[in-house]
Amino acid sequence: MTKSLTPLNIQKIQQLTHCGHIHYFDCVDSTNSYLLENGCCGDICISDSQHAGRGRRGNQWISPASGNLYFSLDWCFDNISEYWSLLGLIVGIACCEALAEIGLKKHGIKWPNDIYWNRKKLGGILLETRDQSGELVIGIGLNISLPISAKANINQAATSLEEAMKASQSDKIFSNNIREALIISLIKRLYYHLNHFKQFSFSQFSKSWEIWDILQNEWVSFEHQNNKITGRVAGIDKQGQLGIVDANGQLTFFSTADIRLKKWVDK
Ligand code: BTN
């Protein structure tokens, strides 16, 4: 039996965050697509479900009406910063901070911007631009409650906030209105980071990244230009590329376009 979904109190979210206009639906094709077509700077789109949810690399984002978060924010920047390519990582940090605020522990970011708990994917981020104007749509999907039927359709190890909080015996109780609390924290953390992006400091960013980066010093393997590379993760550079030290001690930085990290290698 499907649990009934408590609708969000949009007025309360707006009052507590002073955010822009929230477009709220019970079902939409994709919250990102909605804002790309209809959004203005500062608008937010939230839906209880999506019938054409989109992930990175053209993947589908399974979006049942089970209480998950399907959220997009339309954000306009005055000018394009040299650190533009770090934005996805910054949004990942904002998500982790919001999850910590509502009581989750031991979660983090798997480069570039997948949110993980216990080596399983809890959420993902899809950044899209409408044109070259500096207007960005930030899409965030976080699994809050995942029915077994939906889990079976996801082609990688997935988890949910409900599973993670129950397993880690968080002192905060997993409850029906956790989605609302998460949205409020998420909007606040996103606003904080996006408003401070003008005065971006790479050293400050690196400190936050280190807190949430779950791959640091881990061994990973991936394909690069038809070669299998195995190496140890050694931080990121100012473009957000991942540093890998190979078996010969050589450090190389790879971009998301170059590689697709498949798995950890246990050594
Ligand atoms: C990924 O592949 O990890 C990114 C998933 C992003 C999913 C979110 S859900 C809200 C927004 N709307 C979409 O269609 N996609 C993003």
Side-chain angles (χ1 to χ4, degrees), residues 104-116:
L104 186 64
K105 295 189 174 88
K106 298 190 178 159
H107 55 290
I109 307 169
K110 176 174 173 257
W111 179 89
N113 49 22
D114 287 342
I115 310 299
Y116 264 62

Side-chain angles (χ1 to χ4, degrees), residues 92-93 95-101 103-109 115-118 122 161 164 211-214:
I93 291 172
C95 289
C96 286
E97 290 170 345
L99 286 162
E101 268 179 21
L104 186 64
K105 295 189 174 88
K106 298 190 178 159
H107 55 290
I109 307 169
I115 310 299
Y116 264 62
W117 180 84
N118 195 21
L122 184 63
L161 188 57
I211 295 173
W212 299 112
D213 173 19
I214 57 170

